[in-house]
Amino acid sequence: FEVCDRVVLRTGSGPGDILFLLEGGPQTFDHTHSDKGEFILEAYGERFAADPGVIRYQDPACANYKGTPYHNLVTLKGRNQDYRDPSHAVVLDRVMFGPRCDYISADLRNSYQAFDKYRRRVLFVRPHFLVILDDVAAGETGLEWNYHSCAPIRDIDLPAGLVRLQGEKAGMILALGSPG
């Protein structure tokens, strides 16, 4: 969607196909969430990366779901995005589509005043593999990678930095790494 800088990658249009969405573009502040740069992922009927959406406006907890920690994004000490330049909240540096793989490189730094760097790269090797790499730097400690999934966690190996999710027809491995 070139008008709003959202990127959708799909293997098909039927139930059970792989769907990936990257929320790009400017932040408008009109009935929106602090979620610029987040992603969602569905594969083989499993929701591996979910957007919490809104349950009901009558529920006081629904205000929480607008916050950055409730989206698949990095935060600093759980704080919401505080846009350096909301008109360029996510800058798509490179978007390439091909028969075997798709690639996205997005600069999310303008969505965070405290971040020196936030680059999100996505490589989709068709038809089964998706790699998301976040490169983030901030002038203070307290980076948190927020991830929301509906798929069951099979195991967590903290020393190795691995989290395995396993659904009925597909699985996913989250590998976390940091030099510090």
Side-chain angles (χ1 to χ4, degrees):
F1 298 99
E2 293 179 20
V3 174
C4 59
D5 286 336
R6 287 184 178 98
V7 181
V8 177
L9 306 176
R10 298 190 71 118
T11 58
S13 59
D17 290 327
I18 295 175
L19 163 69
F20 173 86
L21 171 102
L22 177 74
E23 173 75 26
Q27 179 60 290
T28 62
F29 302 105
D30 295 329
H31 200 72
T32 59
H33 292 197
S34 297
D35 64 352
K36 286 303 172 180
E38 84 151 336
F39 67 93
I40 62 170
L41 172 64
E42 294 181 7
Y44 307 103
E46 303 289 342
R47 189 175 286 172
F48 282 106
D51 179 293
V54 174
I55 298 174
R56 292 178 320 187
Y57 288 112
Q58 299 87 345
D59 183 347
C62 79
N64 293 331
Y65 295 115
K66 295 172 77 172
T68 306
Y70 287 83
H71 295 85
N72 299 311
L73 288 162
V74 174
T75 56
L76 184 63
K77 298 179 182 172
R79 297 191 299 240
N80 284 330
Q81 292 177 331
D82 57 349
Y83 306 93
R84 178 184 309 208
D85 182 356
S87 64
H88 296 96
V90 176
V91 177
L92 298 176
D93 295 327
R94 194 162 187 192
V95 179
M96 298 180 350
F97 304 113
R100 290 194 219 165
C101 67
D102 301 320
Y103 177 75
I104 303 166
S105 175
D107 186 348
L108 281 61
R109 184 180 29 152
N110 286 333
S111 292
Y112 302 85
Q113 291 185 29
F115 287 4
D116 301 321
K117 179 194 326 182
Y118 190 166
R119 175 153 318 275
R120 175 163 274 176
R121 293 183 188 100
V122 178
L123 177 65
F124 181 28
V125 181
R126 294 180 179 276
H128 302 293
F129 298 99
L130 189 78
V131 178
I132 300 166
L133 175 65
D134 285 342
D135 188 5
V136 184
E140 58 183 291
T141 60
L143 289 176
E144 301 167 342
W145 197 68
N146 303 280
Y147 180 74
H148 305 276
S149 179
C150 297
I153 294 174
R154 190 174 89 195
D155 61 68
I156 298 173
D157 182 350
L158 290 179
L162 298 175
V163 178
R164 291 178 183 85
L165 299 112
Q166 186 63 52
E168 285 185 35
K169 298 180 183 176
M172 180 176 191
I173 297 174
L174 300 174
L176 308 173
S178 172

